[in-house]
């Protein structure tokens, strides 16, 4: 009889038979788990950590250096990684104040009239455009200007008339704010020691990101068209400046100005001799730069303006007849020679055909149908709107068009770069 027959040992039985005769033993709760047949795999399984624990294991020093190189928008997103990351990403001293900042979005008014903020990358607004820190004193406000990171607002109190308002400079990220005082200084011609007083009507805010603890404000004196008052946040006083004698200030449009290399650059548009006036922070005109030849006869505002990108002065002009946009860059201040960076057929960017363009006409107010409202401070990217429904960005290097809004809620705005430095308010 072959081995394992009827008289053989129990080792000759099949596994199924053994399981039928011997049911599996029940392990008591206090007994340890049996050893794994694959100890290497088991040890790896025990050592595996969740993602949050892995993030916590990164030493704080190198992590702070990495996070301090990210823009504020990224720091907000990374707060959900772990408790350690949330603490470091929200640390004003270690991370936020050291982080480099770039264009975050635009302040703008919706069709209903309320002030809003739209992120450049979409998503929840980075800034609360209702400026709640001003609501305790003011009932309503109107944004006049955004100078890189600071806002200049016209504010009305709860019981104020329309002609009773304050000009307020504020930082929406730190919630610091101050009211611009009345313009007055001693009158040398008056023996009664009564100060000269002027109405503050058209202030222009100047903020230098390289010196974020201070700002200055230029203001045209209505009573003396040749003089300009300069306000310093460090002294909290106005001082007169008479360096504008040969300029027509009404032709210097605040929307057509930019701060660059420690100097203000105001675009002075005239039919025969358009130029850019360069002023120091004391209001003295240091030099005049001839505008590009293509800006001859340009009209301020919608047609032409100036801006800063990649540390260089840029100027642009849109022909009101065929809507061709020309963008120049001043690469060499010494020669004052402008270089045409790009010429753009704006209607094609918005998908219009030649027949559509022939049917179009200028706006009833005489302004241009399209508007270039900003240039990116770091890239060769410009932002345009058709002033009806659509806003878009255009990359002058790649020629790519990126729609931003097609609902009419965003028709251009004021570019904003966050700043978390504390202002020296006297």
């Amino acid at each position: 009889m072959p081995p394992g027959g009827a008289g053989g040992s129990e080792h000759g039985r099949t596994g199924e038979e053994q399981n039928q005769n011997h049911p599996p033993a029940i392990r008591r709760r206090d007994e340890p788990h049996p050893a794994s047949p694959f100890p290497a795999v088991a040890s790896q399984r025990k050592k595996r950590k969740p993602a949050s624990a892995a993030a916590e294991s990164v030493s704080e020093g190198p992590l702070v250096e990495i996070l301090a190189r990210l823009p504020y928008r990224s720091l907000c997103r990374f707060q959900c990684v772990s408790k350690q990351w949330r603490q470091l990403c929200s640390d004003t001293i270690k991370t936020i104040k050291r982080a480099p900042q770039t264009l975050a979005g635009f302040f703008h008014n919706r069709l209903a009239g309320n002030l809003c903020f739209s992120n450049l990358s979409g998503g929840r607004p980075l800034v609360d455009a209702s400026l709640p820190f001003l609501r305790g004193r003011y009932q309503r406000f109107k944004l006049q200007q955004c100078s890189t990171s600071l806002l200049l607002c016209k504010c009305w109190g709860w019981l104020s008339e329309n002609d009773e308002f304050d000009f307020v400079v504020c930082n929406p990220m730190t919630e610091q704010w101050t009211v611009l005082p009345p313009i007055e200084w001693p009158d040398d011609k008056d023996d009664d020691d009564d100060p000269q007083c002027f109405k503050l009507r058209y202030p222009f805010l100047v903020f230098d990101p390289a010196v974020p603890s201070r700002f200055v404000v230029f203001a045209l004196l209505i009573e003396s068209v040749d003089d300009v008052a300069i306000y310093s946040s460090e002294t909290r006083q106005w001082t007169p400046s008479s360096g504008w004698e040969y300029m027509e200030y009404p032709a210097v449009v605040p929307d057509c100005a930019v701060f660059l290399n420690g100097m203000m650059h105001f675009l002075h548009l005239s039919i025969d001799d358009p130029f850019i006036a360069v002023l120091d922070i004391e209001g003295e005109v240091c030099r005049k730069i001839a505008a590009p030849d293509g800006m001859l006869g340009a009209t301020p505002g919608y047609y032409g303006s100036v801006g800063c990108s990649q540390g260089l002065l840029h100027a642009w002009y849109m022909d009101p007849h065929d809507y061709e946009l020309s963008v120049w860059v001043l690469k060499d201040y010494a020669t004052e020679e402008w270089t045409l960076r790009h010429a753009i057929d704006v209607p094609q960017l918005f998908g219009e055909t030649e027949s559509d363009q022939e049917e179009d006409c200028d706006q009833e107010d005489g302004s241009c149908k399209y508007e270039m409202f900003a240039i990116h401070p770091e890239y060769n990217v410009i932002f345009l709107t058709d002033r009806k429904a659509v806003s878009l960005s255009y990359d002058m290097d790649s020629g790519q068009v990126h729609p931003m809004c097609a609902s009419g809620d965003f028709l251009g705005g004021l570019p904003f770069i966050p700043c978390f430095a504390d202002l020296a308010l006297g």
Side-chain angles (χ1 to χ4, degrees):
M1 182 177 292
S9 67
E10 63 179 2
H11 294 288
R13 301 176 186 176
T14 63
E16 184 176 322
E17 293 173 341
Q18 295 182 26
N19 292 337
Q20 290 177 354
N21 296 332
H22 300 278
I26 300 176
R27 184 176 58 86
R28 295 180 309 186
R29 292 184 178 180
D30 56 348
E31 290 182 358
H33 287 278
S36 171
F38 306 102
V41 176
S43 61
Q44 292 178 8
R45 186 183 302 115
K46 293 178 181 178
K47 294 180 180 179
R48 184 177 299 170
K49 297 180 180 180
S52 59
E56 295 281 1
S57 65
V58 180
S59 59
E60 180 174 309
L63 183 57
V64 168
E65 294 302 318
I66 295 173
L67 295 177
R69 288 168 169 79
L70 301 177
Y72 180 69
R73 182 69 179 175
S74 299
L75 295 177
C76 293
R77 293 199 300 265
F78 291 157
Q79 290 185 22
C80 63
V81 173
S82 67
K83 292 182 179 179
Q84 181 194 26
W85 283 50
R86 180 168 61 251
Q87 181 179 4
L88 293 178
C89 289
S90 58
D91 192 308
T92 304
I93 303 299
K94 291 182 179 179
T95 309
I96 294 180
K97 285 188 177 182
R98 298 174 54 198
Q101 303 300 335
T102 185
L103 180 63
F106 300 89
F107 281 98
H108 62 99
N109 289 307
R110 293 192 185 274
L111 296 178
N114 56 315
L115 183 65
C116 302
F117 184 85
S118 294
N119 296 332
L120 185 61
S121 58
R124 183 179 178 181
L126 176 69
V127 184
D128 185 352
S130 67
L131 305 183
F133 53 91
L134 294 179
R135 295 299 182 179
R137 178 168 177 177
Y138 298 105
Q139 180 183 21
R140 59 189 178 96
F141 64 89
K142 181 180 180 181
L143 180 61
Q144 300 291 105
Q145 183 195 348
C146 177
S147 181
T148 308
S149 307
L150 301 185
L151 307 182
L152 175 64
C153 301
K154 184 185 291 187
C155 303
W156 287 266
W158 292 93
L159 301 177
S160 300
E161 301 292 338
N162 288 335
D163 58 348
E164 297 177 355
F165 53 82
D166 292 333
F167 281 105
V168 173
V169 176
C170 66
N171 184 337
M173 306 310 296
T174 63
E175 298 188 354
Q176 283 186 289
W177 60 280
T178 184
V179 179
L180 296 181
I183 302 177
E184 58 182 26
W185 49 68
D187 189 356
D188 298 334
K189 300 178 181 179
D190 190 354
D191 297 334
D192 297 334
D193 294 331
D194 292 332
Q196 282 185 294
C197 299
F198 304 90
K199 293 182 179 180
L200 179 56
R201 292 299 184 187
Y202 304 106
F204 183 79
L205 175 64
V206 179
F207 175 72
D208 184 2
V211 190
S213 62
R214 69 178 186 184
F215 67 86
V216 297
V217 178
F218 291 78
L220 170 67
L221 301 183
I222 302 297
E223 296 82 354
S224 179
V225 296
D226 293 335
D227 293 332
V228 173
I230 310 295
Y231 175 83
S232 171
S233 62
E234 294 178 315
T235 63
R236 306 199 71 176
Q237 293 180 350
W238 292 94
T239 56
S241 174
S242 57
W244 297 55
E245 292 90 347
Y246 65 91
M247 295 175 56
E248 297 179 4
Y249 190 90
V252 180
V253 182
D255 293 338
C256 303
V258 63
F259 190 85
L260 175 65
N261 298 330
M263 300 283 183
M264 278 305 306
H265 295 71
F266 287 93
L267 177 61
H268 186 285
L269 289 175
S270 62
I271 297 177
D272 301 325
D273 183 28
F275 64 90
I276 297 171
V278 183
L279 291 77
D280 58 24
I281 59 174
E282 282 75 32
E284 299 298 326
V285 178
C286 300
R287 63 187 298 185
K288 289 170 54 178
I289 300 176
D293 293 338
M295 300 189 76
L296 290 173
T299 303
Y302 297 112
Y303 293 169
S305 190
V306 291
C308 176
S309 179
Q310 303 172 78
L312 298 174
L313 183 64
H314 286 65
W316 57 87
Y317 171 70
M318 186 180 300
D319 192 305
H321 303 292
D322 58 8
Y323 304 120
E324 180 178 89
L325 175 66
S326 299
V327 181
W328 296 271
V329 58
L330 186 64
K331 295 183 178 180
D332 190 349
Y333 262 53
T335 61
E336 297 187 3
E337 293 183 3
W338 293 90
T339 301
L340 180 63
R341 167 152 286 180
H342 212 77
I344 309 158
D345 187 348
V346 175
Q348 288 189 359
L349 300 182
F350 289 87
E352 291 194 5
T353 62
E354 293 184 1
S355 59
D356 294 332
Q357 298 180 36
E358 292 177 357
E359 295 177 358
D360 288 336
C361 59
D362 287 347
Q363 305 292 321
E364 294 181 357
D365 59 1
S367 61
C368 193
K369 175 183 177 181
Y370 302 98
E371 179 188 2
M372 174 180 165
F373 59 88
I375 186 170
H376 200 287
E378 298 179 9
Y379 306 104
N380 292 327
V381 175
I382 59 177
F383 302 91
L384 305 101
T385 177
D386 64 358
R387 305 183 65 213
K388 291 182 180 179
V390 180
S391 292
L392 54 83
S393 64
Y394 174 72
D395 190 317
M396 293 186 289
D397 291 334
S398 65
Q400 293 183 346
V401 177
H402 299 279
M404 300 175 64
C405 178
S407 63
D409 286 336
F410 175 63
L411 299 178
L414 303 176
F416 176 77
I417 300 176
C419 178
F420 296 89
D422 294 327
L423 289 171
L425 299 177

